[in-house]
Amino acid sequence: MDTIASFFSFITTPVSWVIVQFHTVYGAIFGPDTGWAWGLSIVSLVILIRICLIPLFVKQIKATRAMQTLQPEMKKIQERYKNDKQRQSEEMMKLYKESGTNPLSSCLPILAQSPFFFALYHVLNGIASGKTIGVINTSLLESARKAHIFGAPLAAKFKDSADTIAAMHASVTDVRVVTAIMIILMSASQFYTQRQLMTKNVDTTVKTPFMQQQKMLMYVFPIMFAVFGINFPVGVLVYWLTTNVWTMGQQMYVIRNNPNPGSKAQASYLERLTKHVTHHGKVRRRSERTIVKAIVAKGRDRNEAERKFINALSKAGLAAQADGSVVKSEAQAVAETEDGTAVTTAPARRQQPKRQSKAQRHQSGTKTSDGDTATTSLEKSDGPQDAKPAAAKQPQKSGSGTRSKAQSGQSKGGPQRPKSPSKK
């Protein structure tokens, strides 16, 4: 570890300078030789570094989601070229290039944070050895060696001997209890961070090797922290515990407000968004508009939670638009009464006319406005309209009924059936 830390000694001076500046501020409040002044200086260093790494964290989220999206295609490539590793690697690189993803992007925050971690380890190791390092001079070195965090010196380690700890004016029990508690908290926070990623923010509809790898890391990382933690000074444990807590809180925020599609977190998020949108009738935040826009663009490829969201909006008389906004649906109008009460009115459904029998259609076609029956002729007249005025005005016999020419076998506009000659 000392060899690795010395390799990053080029950043030791900037890290030590930042710690000294924070110590100047906190030393004026809590006293320069207290553990609060030096401990809060390390915590502030972590916060400053993590704020600077937020853009890389955003890239990490995008890269992780892109990798999850490509998992089905990657699995197909692995099965297709399982006997040809070279061709498999070529197809994988081709897939990464076409999709614009990079597997190393998910490791950017860890890689970027590593130099600061090892530089801080180098500074604290120098304090434990009684050597000035960076901008930490002799007076600051003596002040740091006097600083205790809950009875444990800043530079003490779990495996230090009793003589070494006694030289720092502390007891072995205090050092080992404090370091053990910090190691347990450090491992537990790492385990919970990885667990909530696996249980809440992973698409459960797709089973891929990526998920198995994440499950393995969920158990491997805490063990690694526990093993290496016994060799870390108390100041480094403070640094790493603060980093884990920051990562846990940052991930909880991302899972709650920007979950992965198909995950349990997305279902919970869309339930909250449905209540919010149906209550206010619109999407207020930009992040919500982006998620609605992505759901609309999917069309028929929406998952179950996304379909429930669209259906809930439709029932409330709302419709999601392609730009991510939500407007009142044309299929359901919302009217307001005089007292301001909102009343939902659905458009009237078109009633299909009832099917009538042949006799009913004939009867309805022969009735006049005054209730009398009139003869309906389906035959086109060849002559002038007033050729047989007398025949049209002849009264009909009661009870005989009126039969049209269509009923007697004559079609409209077609050839007429010749009448059979009457028998004498």
Side-chain angles (χ1 to χ4, degrees):
M1 182 65 71
D2 293 339
T3 304
I4 298 175
S6 61
F7 180 76
F8 290 97
S9 58
F10 67 93
I11 202 172
T12 300
T13 301
V15 168
S16 61
W17 182 85
V18 173
I19 292 177
V20 168
Q21 301 307 312
F22 281 122
H23 175 262
T24 303
V25 175
Y26 293 121
I29 301 173
F30 302 102
D33 299 336
T34 59
W36 286 103
W38 287 99
L40 289 177
S41 299
I42 297 173
V43 172
S44 300
L45 173 67
V46 175
I47 295 174
L48 178 63
I49 293 173
R50 295 309 298 263
I51 290 175
C52 296
L53 294 179
I54 286 178
L56 293 180
F57 181 75
V58 174
K59 289 184 178 181
Q60 180 189 24
I61 294 175
K62 292 181 179 180
T64 303
R65 292 187 177 179
M67 291 295 295
Q68 291 176 349
T69 304
L70 293 177
Q71 287 302 311
E73 298 296 329
M74 294 170 62
K75 188 175 181 180
K76 292 179 182 179
I77 293 175
Q78 291 173 353
E79 293 177 353
R80 186 180 304 173
Y81 304 104
K82 58 183 178 180
N83 297 325
D84 190 352
K85 298 298 182 181
Q86 182 177 357
R87 182 66 184 277
Q88 185 182 115
S89 301
E90 292 176 356
E91 292 295 327
M92 287 287 189
M93 296 303 297
K94 183 179 179 181
L95 180 63
Y96 294 148
K97 186 176 181 180
E98 291 176 352
S99 59
T101 58
N102 187 355
L104 297 178
S105 298
S106 58
C107 303
L108 286 177
I110 297 177
L111 295 176
Q113 191 178 351
S114 297
F116 299 97
F117 169 77
F118 287 113
L120 178 63
Y121 180 87
H122 195 46
V123 171
L124 294 176
N125 192 45
I127 293 174
S129 303
K131 299 178 181 178
T132 58
I133 186 169
V135 298
I136 297 180
N137 52 28
T138 305
S139 61
L140 290 173
L141 178 63
E142 292 298 327
S143 175
R145 289 179 65 85
K146 294 178 183 178
H148 289 64
I149 298 177
F150 301 108
L154 196 68
K157 303 175 186 178
F158 183 87
K159 295 178 66 176
D160 282 345
S161 62
D163 295 337
T164 304
I165 295 175
M168 300 179 187
H169 307 287
S171 66
V172 177
T173 303
D174 291 339
V175 170
R176 292 187 177 176
V177 168
V178 171
T179 53
I181 292 174
M182 295 181 72
I183 290 171
I184 292 172
L185 292 176
M186 187 173 62
S187 301
S189 59
Q190 177 65 35
F191 177 80
Y192 181 78
T193 301
Q194 194 69 20
R195 186 176 184 275
Q196 71 172 348
L197 178 65
M198 291 300 305
T199 57
K200 295 182 179 180
N201 206 35
V202 173
D203 188 357
T204 56
T205 60
V206 180
K207 304 295 182 181
T208 61
F210 179 77
M211 296 178 62
Q212 300 298 327
Q213 295 173 3
Q214 293 296 316
K215 287 183 179 180
M216 182 180 64
L217 293 177
M218 181 172 64
Y219 297 99
V220 170
F221 276 159
I223 296 175
M224 290 176 59
F225 278 113
V227 171
F228 290 113
I230 59 177
N231 296 312
F232 290 161
V234 172
V236 175
L237 293 178
V238 171
Y239 175 91
W240 206 252
L241 178 60
T242 307
T243 298
N244 286 358
V245 172
W246 177 282
T247 303
M248 182 174 63
Q250 189 171 249
Q251 187 167 276
M252 289 175 64
Y253 176 82
V254 172
I255 290 175
R256 178 177 174 83
N257 296 281
N258 195 13
N260 283 336
S263 62
K264 293 181 180 179
Q266 189 199 32
S268 301
Y269 176 83
L270 291 180
E271 288 180 4
R272 298 193 304 269
L273 184 60
T274 301
K275 294 179 182 178
H276 169 76
V277 173
T278 53
H279 178 72
H280 296 281
K282 61 180 180 179
V283 179
R284 294 188 299 178
R285 292 190 296 180
R286 184 177 178 181
S287 59
E288 295 174 350
R289 189 183 296 269
T290 302
I291 291 177
V292 174
K293 182 179 179 180
I295 293 174
V296 173
K298 285 186 177 181
R300 295 183 178 180
D301 295 333
R302 301 185 186 108
N303 56 46
E304 183 179 357
E306 293 167 346
R307 286 193 295 269
K308 286 183 179 179
F309 172 72
I310 296 296
N311 293 336
L313 292 183
S314 300
K315 290 180 181 179
L318 301 172
Q321 303 299 305
D323 60 349
S325 61
V326 173
V327 298
K328 292 182 179 180
S329 175
E330 297 179 357
Q332 196 170 12
V334 179
E336 288 188 1
T337 59
E338 294 181 357
D339 57 351
T341 305
V343 179
T344 304
T345 58
R349 301 178 66 178
R350 186 175 66 179
Q351 299 291 337
Q352 296 291 340
K354 294 183 179 180
R355 187 178 183 86
Q356 297 180 344
S357 63
K358 187 175 182 180
Q360 290 175 337
R361 290 196 301 270
H362 174 66
Q363 186 178 1
S364 63
T366 56
K367 287 184 178 182
T368 59
S369 61
D370 57 354
D372 297 333
T373 57
T375 303
T376 303
S377 176
L378 300 178
E379 181 184 3
K380 290 186 178 180
S381 177
D382 296 331
Q385 295 180 0
D386 56 346
K388 296 180 180 180
K393 294 179 181 180
Q394 287 181 357
Q396 298 180 359
K397 294 180 181 181
S398 60
S400 60
T402 304
R403 298 179 63 189
S404 65
K405 292 182 180 180
Q407 285 178 309
S408 62
Q410 297 179 1
S411 61
K412 182 177 179 181
Q416 300 181 0
R417 186 173 61 187
K419 296 180 179 179
S420 60
S422 60
K423 297 182 181 179
K424 293 183 180 181

